[in-house]
Amino acid sequence: MATTLDQIDLATRAFWAQTPDEIDAAFTVLRRENPVPWSGPAESDLLPPELNTQGFWSLTKYDDIRFASRHPDVFSSAEGITMETFDPLMTQAAQSFIAMDDPRHAELRGITMEAFKPANMKRMGDWVRGHARDLIDEMAPLGEGDFVELVSKQLPGRIFGSFFGLPAGEVHDRTIDAAQRLLSWSDPAATKGKTGLEHFVEAVMELHEIAALLTDQRRAEPGDDLMTWVIQAEFEGQRMDDDEIAAFFVLLAVAANDTTRHASAHAINVFAQHPVQKALLIEDIDGRVEGAVEEVLRWASPLLHMRRTATQDVTIGDAEIKAGDKVVLWYCSGNRDEDAFPDPFSFDILRPKNRHVAFGGGGPHYCLGAALARTMLRSLLSEVYTRIPDITGEPEWLALNFINGIERMPCTWTPPR
């Protein structure tokens, strides 16, 4: 039965518990019939019911998402970046400068860009490639297993551990566990009887404790790692204070361990479903892997949305958005927009001019880690489809409204001889 407009409610958990195909079908209807819909308050326990009263507008079209992304004076990030509203203290503690506007956003981003200078980026790229190779060395002989457990969780965790110089053992394991728990506040299976807020706060506080420990250690004994680089980085004579360092640690822990975790699982799943495209990749991995990475990112949209808040009245399409209204940018819909991508429901690694919005629609909040995420996916695809090209599996999806998540994916493959 075809999805109809009156059946679509982006604010409910039931909507996000649907299959990916059902969600895609709903956004197709919205793009065609009501591209800037209004929703009531998100079904959420991050705030008490009496405070959770604000609905939101949704941008489902590619051009509208890019417009909002490139006009931060009209669409502010400072009130939060998820459709669900957090307490302001939690927003500051967990979302770092992505939940800020200029001038402080520009200052903090400038400091982090100094830490991400070319020499450091090259070193991180070498770490990524080495970890991808080592991990496939370990899992390839097994012949079967849950790809999420064997690779998707392990690779980002190892990379992040190298980035921040996490000591092996308890500190490393606590960090990765907290990072991978943090964004699952809307999944009842993950919260295990706690409220979404309790679940979120516990993970944030654990990451802040670890960040404080690492900050003290690196000030006393600087290392060759991102934590040291961030502590030492300056922009126009300014450095981050300890709270800002901790918030940045949380932000990067989540970005490195959750979005990239799910992107890697999506990549294996989509190639298993599209054997012709997999054959094209295997035929010329070096020449086609970059196009494959871009198409995986467009197809899977690991980050489903970001939110902004209107600073002034603005009209988009037929929607009269008022100052103070929440506006949600649905990247997953923009990447399927028929007006932006020819044949958007075809997976095509040779797609020309693949200007997807998986990392945002441009502007000052474009993802800082985009280059590293691409490096991770490029390294992983190269290793997998050189070594165990017949890998296939069946995903089990997470019911989340922020991350496009795969919980488990039991796979089989032929071990290399």
Side-chain angles (χ1 to χ4, degrees):
M1 182 181 296
T3 302
T4 59
L5 191 61
D6 61 354
Q7 296 173 319
I8 301 170
D9 188 350
L10 303 179
T12 66
R13 287 176 171 166
F15 178 87
W16 297 103
Q18 298 179 101
T19 67
D21 287 345
E22 289 170 327
I23 292 170
D24 281 338
F27 275 110
T28 299
V29 172
L30 289 176
R31 288 193 301 273
R32 182 177 63 242
E33 300 181 23
N34 186 17
V36 191
W38 172 260
S39 298
E43 188 176 341
S44 170
D45 57 6
L46 293 174
L47 288 175
E50 64 273 14
L51 298 180
N52 185 32
T53 60
Q54 190 175 12
F56 58 91
W57 296 98
S58 286
L59 304 185
T60 66
K61 296 287 289 180
Y62 178 90
D63 284 344
D64 292 339
I65 291 167
R66 283 171 56 87
F67 174 79
S69 301
R70 291 161 186 260
H71 289 83
D73 55 325
V74 180
F75 298 94
S76 167
S77 300
E79 299 301 315
I81 50 89
T82 63
M83 77 178 197
E84 297 174 76
T85 301
F86 288 86
D87 178 276
L89 288 178
M90 283 296 100
T91 297
Q92 182 177 355
Q95 296 171 7
S96 186
F97 59 82
I98 65 170
M100 295 180 186
D101 294 328
D102 289 344
R104 192 55 180 156
H105 169 264
E107 292 167 352
L108 291 181
R109 190 177 176 98
I111 293 170
T112 59
M113 288 298 290
E114 173 62 22
F116 278 78
K117 59 189 177 184
N120 294 345
M121 287 289 290
K122 181 182 184 304
R123 182 147 324 160
M124 288 191 280
D126 292 340
W127 291 337
V128 169
R129 288 183 286 273
H131 284 307
R133 182 177 56 253
D134 292 346
L135 200 52
I136 302 306
D137 282 345
E138 295 169 19
M139 61 90 68
L142 302 178
E144 63 178 3
D146 179 358
F147 188 83
V148 171
E149 289 294 332
L150 291 173
V151 178
S152 295
K153 289 183 178 180
Q154 295 295 324
L155 181 57
R158 293 186 188 188
I159 293 168
F160 182 79
S162 294
F163 286 178
F164 276 95
L166 296 177
E170 181 189 2
V171 171
H172 178 277
D173 294 345
R174 283 176 57 206
T175 303
I176 305 309
D177 177 68
Q180 294 181 344
R181 282 189 283 118
L182 193 141
L183 292 184
S184 58
W185 67 79
S186 62
D187 180 11
T191 56
K192 298 178 181 178
K194 297 175 182 175
T195 67
L197 180 60
E198 290 170 336
H199 178 83
F200 182 83
V201 169
E202 284 182 6
V204 170
M205 291 300 99
E206 186 155 15
L207 290 170
H208 270 249
E209 290 174 8
I210 295 167
L213 173 67
L214 292 175
T215 299
D216 289 343
Q217 290 177 346
R218 293 304 183 277
R219 285 203 174 110
E221 298 181 20
D224 191 15
D225 54 65
L226 187 56
M227 179 61 88
T228 299
W229 301 336
V230 168
I231 291 169
Q232 294 176 344
E234 290 188 17
F235 179 72
E236 297 181 348
Q238 295 195 53
R239 294 187 176 186
M240 285 189 183
D241 63 29
D242 285 5
D243 288 339
E244 290 168 338
I245 291 170
F248 179 70
F249 180 78
V250 174
L251 170 65
L252 209 62
V254 172
N257 284 287
D258 220 329
T259 52
T260 51
R261 160 194 163 185
H262 296 298
S264 66
H266 278 290
I268 302 307
N269 178 52
V270 70
F271 276 110
Q273 293 179 342
H274 294 83
V276 173
Q277 293 296 307
K278 183 170 75 170
L280 277 174
L281 175 61
I282 292 170
E283 184 179 80
D284 182 9
I285 289 179
D286 290 343
R288 293 173 178 162
V289 69
E290 290 192 10
V293 166
E294 298 309 315
E295 185 68 345
V296 165
L297 290 166
R298 184 194 72 85
W299 184 265
S301 298
L303 191 67
L304 294 169
H305 79 264
M306 279 283 184
R307 170 203 141 195
R308 303 291 183 255
T309 302
T311 63
Q312 62 191 59
D313 294 355
V314 60
T315 300
I316 298 182
D318 295 330
E320 300 289 338
I321 299 170
K322 302 299 183 184
D325 285 352
K326 295 198 291 186
V327 183
V328 178
L329 287 56
W330 291 106
Y331 301 149
C332 57
S333 180
N335 281 334
R336 290 286 202 280
D337 189 345
E338 299 82 353
D339 293 330
F341 300 97
D343 199 9
F345 284 89
S346 291
F347 180 74
D348 180 7
I349 67 171
L350 304 181
R351 183 180 295 277
K353 298 180 180 179
N354 192 348
R355 299 190 181 98
H356 59 75
V357 290
F359 294 118
H365 286 277
Y366 187 79
C367 178
L368 186 67
L372 283 171
R374 287 182 165 109
T375 298
M376 192 204 80
L377 285 175
R378 188 165 56 246
S379 300
L380 181 63
L381 291 179
S382 297
E383 292 292 333
V384 167
Y385 291 111
T386 299
R387 311 270 295 283
I388 49 172
D390 65 344
I391 185 169
T392 187
E394 190 66 32
E396 298 176 23
W397 304 98
L398 284 165
L400 303 176
N401 59 32
F402 189 60
I403 293 292
N404 187 8
I406 294 177
E407 174 69 15
R408 283 175 291 275
M409 193 166 68
C411 289
T412 59
W413 59 89
T414 303
R417 294 180 181 178

